[in-house]
Amino acid sequence: MITIQNYVQAKSLEEAYCLNQKRNARVLGGMLWLKMARNAVGTAIDLCGLGLDTIEETPELFSIGAMVTLRQLELHPGLAAYTRGAAARAVRDIVGVQFRNMATVGGSVWGRFGFSDVLTFLMSADASVELHRGGIVPLEDFASMKYDDDILVRILIRKRPGAFAYQAMRNQRTDFPVLTCALSQVDGEYRAVLGARPARAMIVRDEKGLLADGITEESADAFAAYAAERTPTGSNSRAGAAYRTHLVRVLTRRGLMELGGTKIEK
């Protein structure tokens, strides 16, 4: 359990940024993972008074504040319509409703956890993050960046013609995922995002044009095999590397067939 010496509810992003430059400062999200740490926090910085707890939708994009909860993400009708329900499917098995009512999107993204369903899905949507000092950064780049002292303000999803699908394998519902897999086709580009490998999510693009003529049983099989070859996997207490590689192929194929409008048996 962490210990906190000073608690500050920031009155501005600049104040939060300045406070966060202190060595032992921490930004609070939903406090669901942070509370499990075993270190002393000198200054705990709360962003709850900065209006970052809403999802704003315009004809061009979705702007998701860092303090938006996973439950808000799950229930937002605009995101549900745009992603064909994939946004809700990506978070619905994360622990339980009570947990999702507190866990924040910003905390999930900033943590860049290997097991993160949220990171996997948002990368498939070609999302970007807005940092207070760093500006707008593609999430794919942000996911591989080192941790620093900037402040994550919001996540941006630009609306473009496309389709989305989400697949995950868990040993039991609400457990950490054994593998996460998000498929998308945005502006004609197909991508598979694989997470819980058990490393951070990564993108596999159709660089060989295997899906250039559309999604069929044959092209889905070919791209799924390609994704399995391109995705490094490892072992931990939930599964071995070989099983995860098998799942990459299975879940990628299922997601592609869902994108193509074909319902398959699980």
Side-chain angles (χ1 to χ4, degrees):
M1 181 180 294
I2 66 168
T3 59
I4 296 174
Q5 296 178 345
N6 299 300
Y7 165 84
V8 179
Q9 189 176 111
K11 296 179 176 60
S12 67
L13 285 168
E14 184 61 22
E15 180 187 9
Y17 176 84
C18 292
L19 289 169
N20 201 38
Q21 303 315 297
K22 298 178 181 180
R23 183 176 181 180
N24 291 328
R26 294 289 186 276
V27 175
L28 305 180
M31 275 292 290
L32 294 168
W33 299 121
L34 185 60
K35 71 180 181 182
M36 299 171 67
R38 296 182 179 179
N39 60 314
V41 173
T43 302
I45 306 162
D46 194 339
L47 307 180
C48 69
L50 302 183
L52 301 178
D53 58 349
T54 61
I55 300 175
E56 298 177 3
E57 180 180 1
T58 71
E60 293 78 31
L61 57 77
F62 293 97
S63 175
I64 304 168
M67 296 298 289
V68 165
T69 68
L70 301 190
R71 185 63 170 164
Q72 288 175 265
L73 195 75
E74 182 180 6
L75 297 178
H76 193 272
L79 280 168
Y82 177 67
T83 67
R84 300 199 306 187
R89 287 194 296 275
V91 301
R92 68 185 179 188
D93 290 328
I94 298 177
V95 186
V97 171
Q98 296 93 333
F99 186 96
R100 298 195 298 277
N101 275 331
M102 297 177 65
T104 61
V105 177
S108 299
V109 171
W110 182 267
R112 286 159 276 192
F113 305 114
F115 57 79
S116 178
D117 296 90
V118 179
L119 187 64
T120 303
F121 164 70
L122 289 174
M123 285 177 65
S124 75
D126 198 22
S128 299
V129 299
E130 180 183 336
L131 304 172
H132 178 58
R133 288 293 180 91
I136 296 175
V137 180
L139 182 57
E140 181 180 4
D141 296 337
F142 180 77
S144 62
M145 289 168 54
K146 294 181 179 179
Y147 296 107
D148 59 22
D149 298 323
D150 210 336
I151 301 292
L152 176 61
V153 181
R154 57 182 56 89
I155 295 90
L156 304 171
I157 301 176
R158 186 161 59 93
K159 291 180 179 180
R160 289 174 292 171
F164 304 87
Y166 193 82
Q167 300 281 332
M169 172 62 189
R170 285 171 160 79
N171 290 328
Q172 62 181 13
R173 191 172 183 182
T174 76
D175 193 7
F176 286 120
V178 173
L179 190 88
T180 59
C181 178
L183 277 296
S184 65
Q185 190 244 21
V186 179
D187 279 348
E189 179 195 59
Y190 288 95
R191 60 170 63 187
V193 184
L194 289 310
R197 306 175 291 113
R200 292 176 183 174
M202 61 169 285
I203 297 176
V204 177
R205 292 179 169 84
D206 185 20
E207 296 175 347
K208 291 189 174 182
L210 299 172
L211 302 170
D213 294 327
I215 298 174
T216 63
E217 294 278 354
E218 293 75 19
S219 65
D221 284 341
F223 183 76
Y226 174 71
E229 293 172 1
R230 298 277 295 175
T231 305
T233 59
S235 300
N236 63 7
S237 60
R238 282 178 287 279
Y243 181 55
R244 281 192 166 96
T245 296
H246 171 70
L247 286 177
V248 171
R249 185 166 187 163
V250 172
L251 298 186
T252 298
R253 181 184 180 278
R254 287 180 181 175
L256 283 172
M257 297 309 294
E258 183 180 337
L259 283 187
T262 302
K263 185 176 180 180
I264 62 174
E265 294 297 325
K266 296 186 178 181

